[in-house]
Amino acid sequence: GGSPFKLTVDPGPTHANGCSASGPGITGGYTGMETSFVIQARDYYGNNRTVGNDIFNIDIGGTASARMRIRDNENGTYTVAYTPEIGGDYYISVKHSGVDIQGSPFTISSDPMPREGYLEMYRSMEPDFGKTMQGAMMGTVDSKLEEKKAKQKAGRKGKTGMVWDLEIKLIGGKNLMPKDTVGEGTYGTTFSHSSDPYVVVQLAHQTRKSKTVEKNLNPTWHEDMTIRVADRMEPLKIEVFDEDVHDDDDSMGTATVSILDLVENKPKLMSIKLADYDEGGNDKGIDCGEIEVVLTITPAKGQVDSRMMR
């Protein structure tokens, strides 16, 4: 036989520049729940490999370690399954022959548990959960129920006696909301928009305030604050204000952070988005920027951890 000739062209050797990863495992997951992603091996020109036996070096780090396993599917793909140990931020590095594949390292966040899990936990801890939620939705307060909850809360505190110290390292802000218009130039004909931001953090009845950074929408604070925590169900409220000398200080955005999922003695870096709310508590949908903090919760010194005695 002569022309035409039939040729079979195989892909070239695996090259990191052509390889990629996809799947839920490189976008996020839940703590304690296994998630996965798939590596597609390709040659330098992006042709899919169709056989296995490649060696990929995978490193998962960040907030904590993660249990991991890899399966060679023998068709040019490799399934990586892992389980985040605790909630927080993780990175996943995937390399072939010492070179990162496309998109590596990947940055993901592991949430403590699904929202439904939290609701189930609250139901188990709060017998009147349904009444509480109904009251919140209708904007009503059952005085008898509130009195009952207060007694239950006091009873829980009396039984455990546990208190913690919440250490807050306020790092800085990014793209904060401008509140001031400043005239510049010889005759004030040039105008710029800025703010003089400071941060107020509140937990229950305790409040801490940062210093003010003048005329800066991307301020740096690097301040340390400590708040005593008696009930970890209480959320941490963070609000940024613009300091005004001749008028009331303006709110530049607020955020609420749960400290329930913080792991004792494990610092957690968080970039927290700020929001602006109307009088009814509805988010206006305005981009108010974000602030960066590191939260660390530790048992207060000088106490006996009653949890170890149960």
Side-chain angles (χ1 to χ4, degrees):
S3 176
F5 302 100
K6 182 179 180 181
L7 301 175
T8 299
V9 181
D10 294 325
T14 300
H15 196 287
N17 289 351
C19 299
S20 64
S22 61
I26 57 172
T27 59
Y30 294 118
T31 306
M33 298 177 63
E34 187 176 73
T35 186
S36 64
F37 62 92
V38 176
I39 301 170
Q40 173 63 65
R42 296 188 180 93
D43 64 15
Y44 181 82
Y45 299 100
N47 298 305
N48 287 347
R49 296 274 298 166
T50 57
V51 295
N53 293 324
D54 287 309
I55 298 177
F56 288 93
N57 299 111
I58 301 169
D59 181 30
I60 301 179
T63 301
S65 62
R67 299 189 302 272
M68 177 180 61
R69 54 193 179 89
I70 306 171
R71 184 181 69 218
D72 183 349
N73 299 317
E74 300 181 352
N75 61 359
T77 66
Y78 303 81
T79 301
V80 180
Y82 68 95
T83 304
E85 299 289 347
I86 63 174
D89 297 323
Y90 290 79
Y91 69 84
I92 301 175
S93 172
V94 182
K95 295 184 178 183
H96 182 269
S97 298
V99 180
D100 282 300
I101 70 170
Q102 297 176 19
S104 175
F106 306 94
T107 302
I108 67 165
S109 294
S110 172
D111 295 325
M113 68 174 73
R115 177 176 177 274
E116 293 75 13
Y118 274 119
L119 294 178
E120 190 61 36
M121 179 183 66
Y122 289 142
R123 288 189 185 97
S124 64
M125 298 177 64
E126 175 62 80
D128 297 300
F129 177 82
K131 293 181 180 178
T132 302
M133 290 298 293
Q134 183 179 10
M137 294 174 64
M138 298 180 64
T140 60
V141 177
D142 188 327
S143 58
K144 292 184 179 180
L145 181 58
E146 290 298 311
E147 182 179 353
K148 178 181 177 182
K149 288 169 60 179
K151 290 181 179 179
Q152 291 174 340
K153 185 176 179 180
R156 288 198 298 269
K157 289 181 180 177
K159 291 177 182 178
T160 64
M162 278 295 297
V163 291
W164 297 264
D165 285 328
L166 178 63
E167 299 172 11
I168 306 166
K169 180 177 288 293
L170 178 61
I171 298 176
K174 182 179 180 182
N175 299 326
L176 300 183
M177 180 183 292
K179 288 290 185 176
D180 301 328
T181 300
V182 182
E184 298 177 342
T186 305
Y187 300 103
T189 55
T190 303
F191 297 93
S192 64
H193 301 282
S194 188
S195 293
D196 304 310
Y198 66 88
V199 178
V200 174
V201 296
Q202 181 179 358
L203 183 71
H205 62 280
Q206 301 172 85
T207 302
R208 303 289 185 271
K209 178 183 175 182
S210 76
K211 65 183 180 183
T212 299
V213 179
E214 296 183 357
K215 297 180 177 59
N216 200 326
L217 299 180
N218 297 281
T220 298
W221 285 286
H222 286 301
E223 290 190 41
D224 295 319
M225 310 172 182
T226 302
I227 290 182
R228 182 59 57 92
V229 178
D231 184 0
R232 291 185 61 173
M233 300 290 284
E234 291 279 359
L236 179 70
K237 181 181 178 182
I238 301 175
E239 187 164 9
V240 181
F241 290 90
D242 171 44
E243 185 174 74
D244 289 324
V245 177
H246 304 294
D247 203 348
D248 294 335
D249 294 350
D250 299 316
S251 176
M252 298 170 60
T254 63
T256 301
V257 181
S258 171
I259 62 173
L260 189 64
D261 63 311
L262 294 178
V263 178
E264 291 179 5
N265 303 307
K266 295 285 187 180
K268 183 175 183 179
L269 173 65
M270 305 179 71
S271 293
I272 303 170
K273 291 188 177 298
L274 301 170
D276 190 18
Y277 298 92
D278 60 23
E279 294 181 355
N282 301 306
D283 190 346
K284 296 180 181 179
I286 300 174
D287 183 4
C288 300
E290 60 185 43
I291 63 170
E292 191 172 53
V293 300
V294 176
L295 301 181
T296 309
I297 194 164
T298 58
K301 296 180 180 179
Q303 65 176 334
V304 177
D305 191 344
S306 60
R307 298 169 300 177
M308 304 298 293
M309 302 171 62
R310 294 177 182 177

